[in-house]
Amino acid sequence: MMEAEIEQYVDAALQMHGIQLDAASRSEVLNQFSLLRSMYLIVEKETLTADIESASVFRL
Amino acid sequence: MKTTPFTATECAAAFSVGEISAREIAQAALERISLHNPDLNAFIEITAGRAIAEADALDAARMRGDRIPPLAAVPYAVKNLLDVKGVTTLAGARLHARHPAARRDAVLIEKMRDAGGVLVGTLNMDAYAYGFTTENTHYGATRNPHDTARSAGGSSGGSGAAVAAGMVPIALGSDTNGSIRVPSSLCGIFGLKPTFCRLSRTGSHPFVPSLDHLGPFATTAEDLSLAYDVMQGVDADDHACAQKPPAQTMPELERGIDGLRIARLSGYFDDHAEADARWAASTAAKALGCMEEVDLQGVAQARAAAYLITASEGGALYLDELRDHLEEFEPLSRERLIAGSLIPVVWYQQAQRYRQLYLQRVLKLFDEYDLLIAPSTPVTAPLLWQKTIQVNGRALPTRPNMGLLTQPISFIGLPVAAVPFWTGSGMPIGVQLIAAPWREDVCLRAAYMLEKMGIAECRVGGMKK
């Protein structure tokens, strides 16, 4: 996802959520979303086989 | 001259033998709050009327010869995301100020009350529990008692400051990504993040339901154990609360660390810690006779996954209010919540599935070790409003990164006792004592041992402005 694609995605998702932002707030949301994407890229590197389900955190 | 007892153990003991009344202990706590809170902004609401009423009831019960409960006459306070009957639960957010007052106490407060605790107030926090510094735009920042120019940590910063300043011997807080362990580290006190699901969350305002934990702060390991023990128990109203009988830790403290296999976590935990933090973890390890180091793999991914889950669940929780009351949100976290609400579900799923892989990896480690040691925070308390912290030559934004070392542990729900060490600068820093699920006794035994050895200690008061 490139910068322009992130902008398109964020704008479309904000519209779908019904959230209207001023320019400064939109810019900060873009920054935060880019940070989240960088976090995802770290986790994405892990190969997870199909048998790995979500953690059973409620049944430790 | 009669000295007012302070620690929970001292208060309960002095009350039980009639040396002092519960009302005198409560009044002394309220006076300490009046003295210190204006400088620290730890309390949001002081429940003086309730405290005196609870104290008087305890005094009357003692006069009748009733059984003395374990926390009898012990003053305590709670992070203001726990429901207190008659008080609006703010969760640090002006957004919630319009909500009606809670109609009953949170389950943990009921347990503290049944054990004889005396509630003196509710405590400041980062709005929504989303932050590590308790810099709250609407309710003011909480200041560190050891240097009021510095942060008390967060998000349970009011809890950390109230205990460290000696206002109360015990406070309750929550820990989603480090919000008990970070304030414990920065304020120089003991904290316990129990195993995920161990303590009931009924009557607490959620933030990230699949990561939220509740737990106590104290000035001694013994008090920490005492508070934890009285709060255990099954709660049918909290679907996540473990269906396990209480496992008392107080009787285990004197066992020491004999037989425990201990390792210090290196790798990521060294790479993301400054010299003071590495020194504290090494000092704890050496004192506990630990000769081994473990370079756990996948920790950075665990931290990233915790970050994603937090943003996604937190954003989803507040989406309706972001849409309808955007202007009332905390400016420091508003855009973070919005961005989190936009996360694609495959990112969230990948994070939750990675959680399973990482959990199984770490559980295997407990075949070889009983206790793992790591620093609690990368650095000692930063200045309030400090934009970045320096961690091994890298400048990182302060607010999200104080949890770099705690997030990978709470991500999989392991129990952790945070213990205080003191650096050459005079500021404290904490060490995490981490055990396998349900083994809070192991964490607390090690914490108690370090305290008895004089290696870890809480320095109550010592206010520096």
Side-chain angles (χ1 to χ4, degrees):
Chain A
M1 207 185 277
M2 306 303 286
E3 202 168 313
E5 290 169 317
I6 290 176
E7 285 197 39
Q8 284 177 1
Y9 175 87
V10 167
D11 286 340
L14 285 171
Q15 194 172 7
M16 192 174 69
H17 279 346
I19 297 175
Q20 292 186 328
L21 302 175
D22 60 27
S25 193
R26 173 183 174 273
S27 175
E28 182 55 22
V29 170
L30 284 170
N31 288 339
Q32 292 296 333
F33 193 81
S34 295
L35 175 61
L36 291 169
R37 181 169 177 271
S38 70
M39 293 291 176
Y40 173 63
L41 293 177
I42 295 170
V43 184
E44 189 189 33
K45 285 178 190 163
E46 285 286 334
T47 303
L48 300 177
T49 54
D51 61 323
I52 298 173
E53 299 178 357
S54 291
S56 55
V57 291
F58 296 111
R59 301 189 303 276
L60 262 182
Chain B
M1 191 180 89
K2 185 164 72 174
T3 305
T4 306
F6 173 69
T7 70
T9 312
E10 290 167 355
C11 287
F15 171 78
S16 68
V17 297
E19 279 179 11
I20 191 167
S21 70
R23 179 180 266 251
E24 287 175 296
I25 293 172
Q27 283 175 329
L30 293 168
E31 284 169 17
R32 294 193 299 266
I33 294 167
S34 297
L35 183 66
H36 297 308
N37 195 54
D39 290 328
L40 300 177
N41 192 37
F43 279 80
I44 291 296
E45 182 144 349
I46 299 163
T47 55
R50 173 173 171 155
I52 295 300
E54 287 182 338
D56 286 349
L58 286 160
D59 287 331
R62 187 179 59 187
M63 292 292 286
R64 288 194 302 270
D66 292 356
R67 183 187 68 87
I68 306 287
L71 277 180
V74 175
Y76 74 101
V78 299
K79 187 176 186 175
N80 78 359
L81 55 59
L82 285 154
D83 286 348
V84 174
K85 186 180 177 182
V87 175
T88 294
T89 306
L90 295 172
R94 190 178 65 182
L95 180 73
H96 300 312
R98 74 172 90 87
H99 293 176
R103 296 201 295 186
R104 60 172 278 194
D105 289 338
V107 164
L108 292 194
I109 295 177
E110 290 176 352
K111 287 177 181 290
M112 290 290 285
R113 185 194 60 212
D114 292 348
V118 172
L119 181 68
V120 296
T122 65
L123 298 160
N124 200 13
M125 56 185 283
D126 287 281
Y128 329 110
Y130 206 0
F132 290 118
T133 56
T134 312
E135 293 161 324
N136 188 311
T137 302
H138 297 132
Y139 296 100
T142 292
R143 296 178 176 277
N144 191 311
H146 302 291
D147 183 346
T148 54
R150 296 183 181 276
S151 168
S155 64
S156 312
S159 306
V163 172
M167 292 190 268
V168 284
I170 287 176
L172 305 187
S174 68
D175 188 317
T176 302
N177 285 298
S179 292
I180 287 174
R181 293 160 289 160
V182 172
S184 295
S185 177
L186 271 47
C187 291
I189 59 175
F190 291 84
L192 179 69
K193 186 205 76 61
T195 308
F196 183 73
C197 311
R198 177 44 113 172
L199 298 184
S200 167
R201 302 180 301 185
T202 300
S204 67
H205 193 86
F207 172 38
V208 182
S210 78
L211 289 171
D212 291 340
H213 307 63
L214 300 177
F217 297 82
T219 60
T220 69
E222 189 176 25
D223 278 6
L224 200 64
S225 168
L226 182 61
Y228 168 65
D229 282 356
V230 304
M231 290 192 290
Q232 292 183 57
V234 173
D235 173 20
D237 291 335
D238 179 357
H239 76 281
C241 190
Q243 301 295 306
K244 279 180 168 286
Q248 298 297 300
T249 59
M250 277 286 278
E252 305 296 319
L253 295 183
E254 293 288 354
R255 283 180 59 195
I257 57 163
D258 284 353
L260 294 184
R261 301 161 300 167
I262 304 172
R264 187 179 74 80
L265 292 174
S266 57
Y268 173 97
F269 293 92
D270 283 340
D271 296 342
H272 294 80
E274 279 283 276
D276 282 340
R278 294 194 304 273
W279 163 81
S282 296
T283 301
K286 191 174 171 189
L288 294 174
C290 158
M291 308 296 287
E292 297 196 46
E293 293 183 0
V294 172
D295 183 2
L296 179 61
Q297 297 300 298
V299 184
Q301 291 92 320
R303 191 264 175 162
Y307 202 99
L308 284 172
I309 292 167
T310 299
S312 182
E313 290 189 26
L317 183 69
Y318 282 102
L319 180 57
D320 283 347
E321 283 157 313
L322 285 164
R323 193 182 286 126
D324 297 336
H325 304 288
L326 188 63
E327 70 289 350
E328 291 186 39
F329 270 77
E330 163 63 73
L332 294 170
S333 46
R334 180 177 55 207
E335 282 78 14
R336 293 177 78 191
L337 287 169
I338 295 173
S341 76
L342 309 181
I343 286 178
V345 71
V346 291
W347 297 10
Y348 179 80
Q349 280 293 333
Q350 178 82 0
Q352 288 286 17
R353 291 177 67 222
Y354 178 70
R355 192 176 187 178
Q356 177 75 291
L357 183 76
Y358 181 71
L359 172 65
Q360 296 309 322
R361 182 182 297 160
V362 177
L363 289 180
K364 275 186 195 155
L365 203 53
F366 288 110
D367 290 341
E368 296 176 61
Y369 303 104
D370 302 298
L371 187 76
L372 303 172
I373 298 172
S376 295
T377 52
V379 294
T380 57
L383 293 168
L384 282 165
W385 313 112
Q386 184 178 316
K387 295 278 187 209
T388 58
I389 52 173
Q390 287 290 326
V391 182
N392 293 338
R394 289 163 294 168
L396 303 174
T398 305
R399 296 188 78 247
N401 285 296
M402 289 303 290
L404 273 172
L405 305 175
T406 49
Q407 280 181 283
I409 309 300
S410 38
F411 178 54
I412 48 172
L414 303 177
V416 186
V419 297
F421 288 74
W422 295 83
T423 69
S425 71
M427 292 301 290
I429 196 158
V431 168
Q432 300 182 85
L433 304 174
I434 306 156
W438 320 115
R439 296 308 307 269
E440 284 80 1
D441 61 317
V442 170
C443 307
L444 290 164
R445 280 164 58 193
Y448 185 70
M449 184 78 176
L450 288 168
E451 188 182 23
K452 291 256 286 187
M453 293 165 78
I455 305 284
E457 63 170 341
C458 179
R459 298 176 184 171
V460 175
M463 299 258 295
K464 178 186 161 195
K465 295 184 192 174

